[in-house]
mmCIF file of all heavy atoms in Angstrom:
data_model
loop_
_atom_site.group_PDB
_atom_site.id
_atom_site.type_symbol
_atom_site.label_atom_id
_atom_site.label_comp_id
_atom_site.label_asym_id
_atom_site.label_seq_id
_atom_site.Cartn_x
_atom_site.Cartn_y
_atom_site.Cartn_z
ATOM 1 N N GLY A 21 -19.809 11.058 14.825
ATOM 2 C CA GLY A 21 -19.830 11.877 16.051
ATOM 3 C C GLY A 21 -20.827 13.003 15.948
ATOM 4 O O GLY A 21 -21.556 13.280 16.909
ATOM 5 N N LYS A 22 -20.884 13.658 14.803
ATOM 6 C CA LYS A 22 -21.849 14.742 14.601
ATOM 7 C C LYS A 22 -23.274 14.206 14.688
ATOM 8 O O LYS A 22 -24.151 14.818 15.284
ATOM 9 C CB LYS A 22 -21.611 15.443 13.262
ATOM 10 C CG LYS A 22 -20.374 16.292 13.252
ATOM 11 C CD LYS A 22 -20.204 17.190 12.048
ATOM 12 C CE LYS A 22 -20.720 16.712 10.757
ATOM 13 N NZ LYS A 22 -20.327 17.480 9.589
ATOM 14 N N GLU A 23 -23.526 13.040 14.084
ATOM 15 C CA GLU A 23 -24.842 12.423 14.115
ATOM 16 C C GLU A 23 -25.232 12.062 15.551
ATOM 17 O O GLU A 23 -26.348 12.292 15.983
ATOM 18 C CB GLU A 23 -24.858 11.187 13.227
ATOM 19 C CG GLU A 23 -26.243 10.594 13.066
ATOM 20 C CD GLU A 23 -26.232 9.440 12.071
ATOM 21 O OE1 GLU A 23 -25.627 9.576 11.002
ATOM 22 O OE2 GLU A 23 -26.839 8.407 12.397
ATOM 23 N N PHE A 24 -24.290 11.494 16.305
ATOM 24 C CA PHE A 24 -24.538 11.134 17.690
ATOM 25 C C PHE A 24 -24.869 12.385 18.519
ATOM 26 O O PHE A 24 -25.816 12.390 19.310
ATOM 27 C CB PHE A 24 -23.305 10.414 18.280
ATOM 28 C CG PHE A 24 -23.468 10.003 19.696
ATOM 29 C CD1 PHE A 24 -24.298 8.944 20.042
ATOM 30 C CD2 PHE A 24 -22.788 10.679 20.716
ATOM 31 C CE1 PHE A 24 -24.448 8.549 21.367
ATOM 32 C CE2 PHE A 24 -22.920 10.288 22.027
ATOM 33 C CZ PHE A 24 -23.751 9.232 22.369
ATOM 34 N N ASN A 25 -24.101 13.463 18.313
ATOM 35 C CA ASN A 25 -24.364 14.706 19.035
ATOM 36 C C ASN A 25 -25.732 15.296 18.688
ATOM 37 O O ASN A 25 -26.413 15.833 19.548
ATOM 38 C CB ASN A 25 -23.257 15.732 18.781
ATOM 39 C CG ASN A 25 -21.980 15.366 19.484
ATOM 40 O OD1 ASN A 25 -21.981 14.648 20.484
ATOM 41 N ND2 ASN A 25 -20.857 15.864 18.977
ATOM 42 N N LYS A 26 -26.117 15.160 17.411
ATOM 43 C CA LYS A 26 -27.449 15.635 17.011
ATOM 44 C C LYS A 26 -28.532 14.827 17.702
ATOM 45 O O LYS A 26 -29.533 15.369 18.174
ATOM 46 C CB LYS A 26 -27.612 15.555 15.500
ATOM 47 C CG LYS A 26 -28.965 16.083 15.035
ATOM 48 C CD LYS A 26 -29.108 16.044 13.550
ATOM 49 C CE LYS A 26 -30.431 16.541 13.015
ATOM 50 N NZ LYS A 26 -31.573 16.527 13.872
ATOM 51 N N THR A 27 -28.327 13.528 17.822
ATOM 52 C CA THR A 27 -29.294 12.670 18.510
ATOM 53 C C THR A 27 -29.426 13.085 19.972
ATOM 54 O O THR A 27 -30.543 13.149 20.495
ATOM 55 C CB THR A 27 -28.855 11.187 18.419
ATOM 56 O OG1 THR A 27 -28.771 10.823 17.053
ATOM 57 C CG2 THR A 27 -29.821 10.271 19.127
ATOM 58 N N ILE A 28 -28.314 13.385 20.607
ATOM 59 C CA ILE A 28 -28.354 13.824 22.000
ATOM 60 C C ILE A 28 -29.133 15.127 22.119
ATOM 61 O O ILE A 28 -29.975 15.285 22.999
ATOM 62 C CB ILE A 28 -26.920 13.991 22.549
ATOM 63 C CG1 ILE A 28 -26.251 12.636 22.720
ATOM 64 C CG2 ILE A 28 -26.922 14.754 23.883
ATOM 65 C CD1 ILE A 28 -24.781 12.701 23.063
ATOM 66 N N GLN A 29 -28.853 16.058 21.220
ATOM 67 C CA GLN A 29 -29.566 17.352 21.260
ATOM 68 C C GLN A 29 -31.048 17.182 21.009
ATOM 69 O O GLN A 29 -31.879 17.812 21.665
ATOM 70 C CB GLN A 29 -28.947 18.330 20.230
ATOM 71 C CG GLN A 29 -27.545 18.763 20.557
ATOM 72 C CD GLN A 29 -27.428 19.371 21.947
ATOM 73 O OE1 GLN A 29 -28.236 20.189 22.351
ATOM 74 N NE2 GLN A 29 -26.414 18.947 22.675
ATOM 75 N N ASP A 30 -31.399 16.312 20.078
ATOM 76 C CA ASP A 30 -32.816 16.042 19.794
ATOM 77 C C ASP A 30 -33.526 15.449 21.023
ATOM 78 O O ASP A 30 -34.642 15.816 21.349
ATOM 79 C CB ASP A 30 -32.979 15.103 18.592
ATOM 80 C CG ASP A 30 -32.598 15.746 17.281
ATOM 81 O OD1 ASP A 30 -32.457 16.991 17.229
ATOM 82 O OD2 ASP A 30 -32.422 15.007 16.293
ATOM 83 N N ARG A 31 -32.834 14.525 21.695
ATOM 84 C CA ARG A 31 -33.427 13.904 22.882
ATOM 85 C C ARG A 31 -33.598 14.938 23.996
ATOM 86 O O ARG A 31 -34.603 14.946 24.678
ATOM 87 C CB ARG A 31 -32.578 12.739 23.371
ATOM 88 C CG ARG A 31 -33.172 12.153 24.648
ATOM 89 C CD ARG A 31 -33.037 10.719 24.917
ATOM 90 N NE ARG A 31 -32.822 9.801 23.863
ATOM 91 C CZ ARG A 31 -33.766 8.990 23.394
ATOM 92 N NH1 ARG A 31 -34.996 9.044 23.859
ATOM 93 N NH2 ARG A 31 -33.471 8.112 22.468
ATOM 94 N N LYS A 32 -32.601 15.813 24.175
ATOM 95 C CA LYS A 32 -32.716 16.856 25.206
ATOM 96 C C LYS A 32 -33.928 17.754 24.932
ATOM 97 O O LYS A 32 -34.690 18.081 25.850
ATOM 98 C CB LYS A 32 -31.451 17.715 25.241
ATOM 99 C CG LYS A 32 -30.286 17.041 25.921
ATOM 100 C CD LYS A 32 -29.075 17.962 25.920
ATOM 101 C CE LYS A 32 -27.888 17.310 26.584
ATOM 102 N NZ LYS A 32 -26.695 18.173 26.576
ATOM 103 N N LYS A 33 -34.117 18.120 23.666
ATOM 104 C CA LYS A 33 -35.272 18.961 23.305
ATOM 105 C C LYS A 33 -36.575 18.229 23.562
ATOM 106 O O LYS A 33 -37.539 18.816 24.045
ATOM 107 C CB LYS A 33 -35.174 19.386 21.843
ATOM 108 C CG LYS A 33 -34.138 20.465 21.624
ATOM 109 C CD LYS A 33 -34.076 20.900 20.174
ATOM 110 C CE LYS A 33 -32.973 21.928 20.011
ATOM 111 N NZ LYS A 33 -32.868 22.426 18.656
#
Side-chain angles (χ1 to χ4, degrees):
K22 288 190 327 190
E23 187 175 315
F24 180 73
N25 287 337
K26 182 178 180 337
T27 301
I28 290 172
Q29 292 305 315
D30 290 346
R31 177 147 338 254
K32 284 180 181 179
K33 285 181 182 182

